[in-house]
Amino acid sequence: MNDTRTHLEAQRHCRSLCRAVERLEGAELERLGHWGGRLAEVLTAGGRLLAAGNGGSAAQAQHLTAELVGRYREERPAYSALSLHAETSSLTAIGNDYGFDEVFARQVAAHGRPGDVLMLLSTSGRSPNLLSAATTGRARGLRVWALTGPLPNPLAEAAHDAVCVDGATTATVQETHLVAVHLLCAFFDASVADARRPGRATAARNGVPRDGVPSAAMGGAP
């Protein structure tokens, strides 16, 4: 009887994940594509991605930065991306001296530069240390993006832009975040490859990319 119940719960979990991924595909692909293009502009120009999360979301954030410093699929240059929760000595020192709510914000103040991207991941969208990081990031001129669970949540409101996963459970949201991370990496790689094509590079040096849009207009508002 217990095995049957476990099997049914597993089926429900799989179906819930399928529905969440379908909603991500329907509602957020365009946004993730825009993020990939914007991130490519920032990183290829010498900017940096800072990322942070707690628990499982920390692992997802570190997965993202590893794909950028290493590679996702095709060979390409390495790009600057840091997971703030992986800085263990800084994390513990800041937590000890300033409190856990400041462990990411103080690192954003130290490492972030105007125009950089700050990616914050949270299944609840309510973690005080991520909200503090978002506030500091905006004040320092970083572009703040959030990967969260269902709306409404404070982190989505604090960020410049957010992908909010409508999942039934924390596990489903977290699993769908991994799909979003991989999609973002795919869009990033495609944008980098496009920018490195000879025709695109020549046009960009003249201030007009291949698609005819002046380069100053491509990124939109910060």
Side-chain angles (χ1 to χ4, degrees):
M1 185 65 167
N2 184 57
D3 288 344
T4 299
R5 183 168 61 251
T6 301
H7 185 76
L8 291 173
E9 289 174 353
Q11 286 182 321
R12 284 194 292 269
H13 185 113
C14 291
R15 290 167 185 162
S16 175
L17 177 59
C18 288
R19 288 192 294 269
V21 171
E22 287 173 357
R23 287 192 288 266
L24 180 76
E25 179 187 8
E28 303 292 5
L29 275 187
E30 184 175 352
R31 192 185 312 276
L32 289 167
H34 171 72
W35 285 11
R38 180 61 180 266
L39 190 60
E41 291 178 2
V42 171
L43 299 193
T44 57
R48 174 178 290 164
L49 172 75
L50 303 178
N54 296 293
S57 294
Q60 303 283 30
Q62 201 162 342
H63 189 132
L64 171 60
T65 58
E67 302 282 26
L68 296 171
V69 176
R71 67 179 182 187
Y72 176 54
R73 287 179 181 166
E74 304 300 327
E75 189 61 44
R76 54 154 172 74
Y79 294 102
S80 182
L82 296 176
S83 291
L84 302 180
H85 53 272
E87 294 289 324
T88 53
S89 293
S90 293
L91 192 80
T92 53
I94 296 166
N96 185 65
D97 294 343
Y98 299 95
F100 191 68
D101 288 359
E102 297 302 312
V103 292
F104 300 137
R106 194 163 178 87
Q107 292 187 75
V108 171
H111 300 304
R113 299 294 181 266
D116 286 349
V117 175
L118 174 62
M119 175 73 85
L120 303 172
L121 294 86
S122 172
T123 56
S124 69
R126 301 179 186 281
S127 301
N129 56 9
L130 297 179
L131 293 171
S132 181
T135 300
T136 299
R138 293 188 71 132
R140 296 277 174 158
L142 282 72
R143 185 72 176 176
V144 180
W145 295 339
L147 270 176
T148 78
L151 288 169
N153 67 76
L155 185 57
E157 295 174 4
H160 288 103
D161 205 5
V163 168
C164 302
V165 172
D166 186 10
T169 65
T170 296
T172 296
V173 171
Q174 212 158 66
E175 290 155 359
T176 309
H177 279 181
L178 179 57
V179 176
V181 163
H182 281 162
L183 292 173
L184 174 58
C185 290
F187 284 123
F188 171 83
D189 280 3
S191 295
V192 168
D194 187 49
R196 296 178 71 197
R197 291 192 184 101
R200 176 72 175 237
T202 300
R205 283 196 295 271
N206 295 326
V208 181
R210 188 178 57 191
D211 56 11
V213 179
S215 57
M218 290 189 67

